[in-house]
Amino acid sequence: MPPHVHSETVAWGFSVPLTIALLFAAWLYLRGWIYIRSSSANVIRTWRAVSYFLGLLLFSTALGSPLAAYDHNLLTVHMIKHLLLMTVAPTLILLGEPVRVFWIGMRPFARRSLRRVLRRSPLRRFAQVVTRPGLCWTVSALTLIVWHIPALFTLGVRSATWHTVEQAMFFGAGLLFWWPVIQPWPNTSTGPRWSMLLYLFLATLPCDILSGFLAFSDRVAYPVYSTPRLFGFSVLEDQQCAAALMWTCVTLIYLVPAAIISLRLLAPRTSHEHDLQQSQFSGGPVPQSAPRNVEIV
């Protein structure tokens, strides 16, 4: 059965394992956040918890909502899913400081055991390497470019397995990309903060090139979407709409952290404010009001 017919006749659904995983992630975060709020109200603010749960909601929307039912019919919907998985949901989830919340919410015995493992494990070194800005930018750019090569794009649309791999790679690349920008705990970045402005600017280039090609091309880039359109869209109109959506959303979303970072770099700052910058968007050391058991090693 062709993919476009399949998506129209089969109702959208949400896999049981993914549902359980999302519910568990939500419960684990809520448990840790309640514990933190009862011991120190200044560590994880309410807006961060809201951001985390909103990120989970948008992640689930991309994978198991009526939106997913039109994924194989409209390139615009396909692009919306990619933006949610790679740009919006990862940003909101990382702003919620999930690692810190999960860590503090652990049982003391589990925390002590995991701390001993991390002290003797190469995982710490691996985490430091994999979250370097250069590598994060490269992984994000390559993921975007490779999966928009027509042959691989078609494979992702026609194969359920490869479609899952594609979505997982987009979400993983999104988490990696936004990690140096948001710098959630336990971030160890020591690079200059102004470098993130260049990082964000360079990140827009692959999106601009791809969206420009799709918007101004007079031919269909992805023949898998050459079937009759829904909602009155022609094939090229759908392609142009998807391109405009990518260019606009990426530009606006990347502009927000760039503006915040610029304002904070230009604004005068006291030493006390510098010590508390971890509780803000830019990340940094743990505030003194945080529980002592927040440290990993």
Side-chain angles (χ1 to χ4, degrees), residues 99-239:
V99 180
R100 183 191 295 182
V101 174
F102 295 157
W103 179 261
I104 298 178
M106 285 183 182
R107 300 287 184 183
F109 172 78
R111 190 185 303 116
R112 288 193 299 268
S113 300
L114 185 56
R115 183 184 292 115
R116 286 195 294 268
V117 172
L118 291 175
R119 281 175 176 171
R120 303 174 183 177
S121 172
L123 288 176
R124 290 186 63 201
R125 177 60 180 169
F126 173 77
Q128 291 173 353
V129 171
V130 80
T131 55
R132 289 177 178 173
L135 181 60
C136 292
W137 187 94
T138 302
V139 170
S140 175
L142 287 179
T143 300
L144 177 71
I145 293 171
V146 168
W147 279 108
H148 281 89
I149 296 174
L152 289 178
F153 189 97
T154 301
L155 179 64
V157 171
R158 290 180 173 173
S159 169
T161 300
W162 282 106
H163 191 59
T164 301
V165 172
E166 177 190 19
Q167 293 176 134
M169 289 184 64
F170 269 99
F171 183 66
L175 291 174
L176 281 179
F177 174 82
W178 288 104
W179 187 279
V181 180
I182 299 174
Q183 296 186 357
W185 186 88
N187 177 70
T188 58
S189 176
T190 57
R193 196 64 180 140
W194 61 261
S195 64
M196 286 298 98
L197 299 177
L198 180 61
Y199 178 89
L200 290 167
F201 169 74
L202 293 177
T204 64
L205 298 183
C207 297
D208 291 345
I209 294 172
L210 177 61
S211 59
F213 170 76
L214 293 176
F216 297 106
S217 177
D218 58 354
R219 63 183 181 84
V220 178
Y222 305 113
V224 71
Y225 282 106
S226 61
T227 55
R229 302 295 88 202
L230 299 176
F231 310 118
F233 277 109
S234 69
V235 179
L236 284 179
E237 287 173 343
D238 179 31
Q239 182 171 294

Side-chain angles (χ1 to χ4, degrees), residues 54-71:
L54 181 58
L56 287 186
L57 177 62
L58 293 179
F59 177 81
S60 64
T61 299
L63 298 182
S65 71
L67 180 69
Y70 296 102
D71 186 23

